[in-house]
């Protein structure tokens, strides 16, 4: 699969739905992580602390880092990542959340989309 037309870049899309059963634990962990981050200025730290205190989804986004997902994968280097979190209404019985359902046509070029960092 190593032809001149084949890109070396691959985009992996992941959706996670997490149930938070202890908001204080999530917020506390995010605040602890911020307290230990020596690269933040006082203004950045204050802003981040307000954000994670006001919104558990923001606290969770601060704790879940896509860089950690690939840090130990041999032969790859993460070029770009973005992620966000939001509170959602979730019904595991809804067809909208059927993870076994194919997201689209397997020959759909959008499913094979590649990105250059």
């Amino acid at each position: 699969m190593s032809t001149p037309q084949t890109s070396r870049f691959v985009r992996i899309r992941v959706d996670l739905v997490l149930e938070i059963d202890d908001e204080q634990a999530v917020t506390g962990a995010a605040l602890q992580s911020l307290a230990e981050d020596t690269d933040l200025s006082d203004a950045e730290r204050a802003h981040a602390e307000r954000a994670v205190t006001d919104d558990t989804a923001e606290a969770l986004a601060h704790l879940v880092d896509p860089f950690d997902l690939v840090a130990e994968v041999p032969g790859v280097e993460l070029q770009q990542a973005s992620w966000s979190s939001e509170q959602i209404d979730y019904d595991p019985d809804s067809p909208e959340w059927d993870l076994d359902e194919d997201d689209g046509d397997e020959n759909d070029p959008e499913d094979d989309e590649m990105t250059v960092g």
Side-chain angles (χ1 to χ4, degrees):
M1 183 149 172
S2 183
T3 65
Q5 288 80 24
T6 302
S7 175
R8 298 179 327 159
F9 298 93
V10 176
R11 175 181 292 158
I12 297 176
R13 292 186 177 139
V14 177
D15 284 332
L16 302 171
V17 176
L18 305 172
E19 181 178 4
I20 297 174
D21 59 5
D22 188 345
E23 290 184 18
Q24 290 180 336
V26 173
T27 300
L31 290 171
Q32 181 66 36
S33 175
L34 289 168
E36 295 170 356
D37 189 342
T38 58
D39 293 332
L40 290 177
S41 70
D42 290 342
E44 290 171 322
R45 185 181 326 282
H47 174 75
E49 286 174 347
R50 279 192 302 277
V52 302
T53 301
D54 292 345
D55 184 357
T56 307
E58 186 70 31
L60 189 59
H62 179 76
L63 294 169
V64 176
D65 187 344
F67 294 96
D68 292 341
L69 294 174
V70 297
E72 301 297 320
V73 177
V76 300
E77 181 179 333
L78 183 63
Q79 296 296 307
Q80 179 180 355
S82 66
W83 67 102
S84 64
S85 65
E86 61 185 340
Q87 293 184 351
I88 60 168
D89 292 325
Y90 175 65
D91 177 4
D93 297 325
S94 169
E96 176 182 336
W97 295 101
D98 186 3
L99 296 178
D100 292 330
E101 185 175 301
D102 193 7
D103 287 338
D105 186 326
E106 66 185 47
N107 295 321
D108 187 349
E110 188 174 311
D111 289 343
D112 297 330
E113 197 173 291
M114 295 182 196
T115 184
V116 175

